[in-house]
Amino acid sequence: MNADYVIVGAGSAGCAIAYRLAEAGKSVIVIEHGGSDAGPFIQMPGALSYPMNMPRYDWGYFSAPEPNLNDRRMAVPRGKVIGGSSSINGMVYVRGHARDYDTWDEMGATGWSYADVLPYFKRMENWHHAGHGGDESWRGTKGPLNVTRGLRDNPLVSAFVEAGREIGYEVTPDYNGEKQEGFGPMEATIWRGRRWSAARAYLRPALKKPNCSLIRALAERIVMTDGRATGVQVKRRGRTEIITANREVILAASSLNSPKLLMLSGIGPADHLREHGIDVIADRPGVGSNLQDHLEVYIQMASSKPITLFRYWNLLGKAYVGARWLFTGAGPGASNQFESAAFIRSRPGIEYPDIQYHFLPLAVRYDGKVAAEGHGFQAHVGPMRSKSRGTVRLATADPNKAPDIRFNYMSHPDDWTEFRAAVRHTREIFGASAFALYIKHEIQPGADVITDEQIDAFITDHAESAYHPCGTCRMGRADDKDAVVDPQGRVIGVDGLRVCDSSIFPQITNGNLNGPSIMVGEKMSDHILGLDPLPRENVQPWIHPSWATSQR
């Protein structure tokens, strides 16, 4: 089999690239190890805790023991299904802050400033809230990716925003527009009560074209000929095959599997490759380095009123929610229930937000385990720009084996300072009078957890990944020895090969990574096609006028 372009990974970026290349008349083969995204557990937003814990949809990766988190091995769900992680994630849509992309540009990813990427965010979005808060001129309304907001009819959802306003924080009508900082409605990739993944937005329309096809196979290595990527070796139905790329191979296999595939193919830190008996094609020490993620804790409150989603947390309630969603596409199952958000700064002197909140009117964990207290609610909170860096390495040269993942969480002292601030700011929010009617007591961490040492122990025991790994094939200048790809996604030192997914982020963005990952696919598709980038948009984001001296 052969095509102009062979894309490894039908995830957030890969689907977008397949769509744009096929639309331009190029022949495309997409290789995906996972299977169909059919079925209620994956399509019903309210069932989001299920797919990321199902081996059918998830690679099932775990980190190595994390030394600063009591040697806990952290779950690292990644989508093994069409749509990739966009088919198993929490569906939260965040572009990131404008300053994130300006920082990328300063770090050597020339042409990736906010002015450069904003047109691509607009191109991909079909934003359904024009006229309902926020400035439409900052948003896109004709793209493939539906972006919506929930009904926000639970009083706790409004109380969260009111509490923030009451204690002096900004309120924002649209954190994806001019003003990220503040409290306001959360946005989601949900449309008509169903998950709107990259598979639905991009891949299915692409596959309707005769020049785009999808094959189910495990990519084992990139085939190299005289320093050029010419195809991909795959295992398919028990047989080894070569899928040939007439023009380029495009890796979009995730920030864990893209560096793994590069290393299996002889591109990476030379000494590490030799340890595993792999011939070195290109010595790129940055492959698998610079691993970043968001950590978060859940600050949980017991509710004094029976108004939380706990009323559905029984066999009968779940049956009702499921049946209502199945037959009408409505009800609690039609929302991911993350309907209010906030982005704040941890202290004065921080120019733009470094703490994110997801508010949930239920006290529950991502694995679906509910708090023992019954009715409750929680804020997921964590720092956005941890200084800790980790690695992805080969555990073995066997392509069937999981990579060795070491986040090195909380290895920088500033992470502890920021995390303590996040916990204390959250307690102040829940202490506002807007919540006085609803709070019985604090479930987690518990009112007796007060000192720095006690809060640190809570973080050590309870911090969870927000599942935002990125940065392992960093984009930078071609003469930067630690960069893996140039600003057009081309692997430095190799011809005919690009990496186009969250691996290339020089620094993690503010918020959830699905939106930025799709944007990478959109922008890289223009680079691949040799098109001029969309015209830059020089708009100024809102920055708190007193950021240097005030925390809010």
Side-chain angles (χ1 to χ4, degrees), residues 20-228:
R20 295 299 179 189
L21 297 186
E23 182 183 53
K26 309 302 180 187
S27 61
V28 180
I29 294 172
V30 183
I31 300 166
E32 172 56 52
H33 186 42
S36 168
D37 61 348
F41 284 124
I42 206 167
Q43 293 301 333
M44 182 168 81
L48 64 89
S49 67
Y50 290 97
M52 68 174 65
N53 292 292
M54 294 172 73
R56 174 181 171 186
Y57 300 128
D58 172 32
W59 283 88
Y61 290 158
F62 281 84
S63 75
E66 286 291 333
N68 300 303
L69 297 179
N70 279 347
D71 284 333
R72 286 189 287 143
R73 296 185 70 219
M74 310 293 279
V76 194
R78 291 292 86 193
K80 188 179 68 175
V81 57
I82 64 164
S85 294
S86 78
S87 290
I88 68 166
N89 68 0
M91 291 154 283
V92 172
Y93 180 74
V94 183
R95 285 175 169 180
H97 196 282
R99 287 286 185 264
D100 292 328
Y101 301 102
D102 294 342
T103 301
W104 285 14
D105 193 80
E106 291 161 10
M107 292 174 76
T110 309
W112 288 81
S113 70
Y114 189 62
D116 297 302
V117 303
L118 178 58
Y120 289 97
F121 278 117
K122 288 185 171 185
R123 183 169 88 176
M124 74 197 221
E125 288 175 351
N126 186 10
W127 188 57
H128 291 273
H129 290 273
H132 300 283
D135 183 345
E136 191 179 346
S137 69
W138 287 74
R139 305 303 299 268
T141 55
K142 295 183 175 66
L145 190 74
N146 286 300
V147 178
T148 60
R149 297 175 182 177
L151 292 175
R152 311 189 74 238
D153 52 0
N154 187 301
L156 292 164
V157 169
S158 302
F160 183 72
V161 176
E162 177 55 26
R165 187 201 61 75
E166 182 190 318
I167 61 175
Y169 287 106
E170 295 291 322
V171 172
T172 177
D174 180 12
Y175 64 71
N176 282 316
E178 179 184 13
K179 181 181 181 181
Q180 188 192 63
E181 184 167 341
F183 286 64
M186 191 158 247
E187 298 196 329
T189 48
I190 296 171
W191 178 235
R192 293 179 174 160
R194 291 180 176 266
R195 176 189 292 274
W196 197 257
S197 66
R200 297 190 75 187
Y202 290 98
L203 187 61
R204 285 205 175 85
L207 292 174
K208 288 177 181 170
K209 298 178 186 294
N211 52 329
C212 183
S213 59
L214 173 73
I215 67 163
R216 284 196 63 183
L218 175 68
E220 295 186 321
R221 67 180 182 90
I222 300 145
V223 178
M224 306 295 300
T225 309
D226 298 326
R228 183 177 183 83

Side-chain angles (χ1 to χ4, degrees), residues 505-522:
F505 293 12
Q507 179 175 284
I508 197 164
T509 55
N510 259 18
N512 310 60
L513 299 194
N514 187 44
S517 299
I518 295 173
M519 180 277 292
V520 162
E522 284 274 10

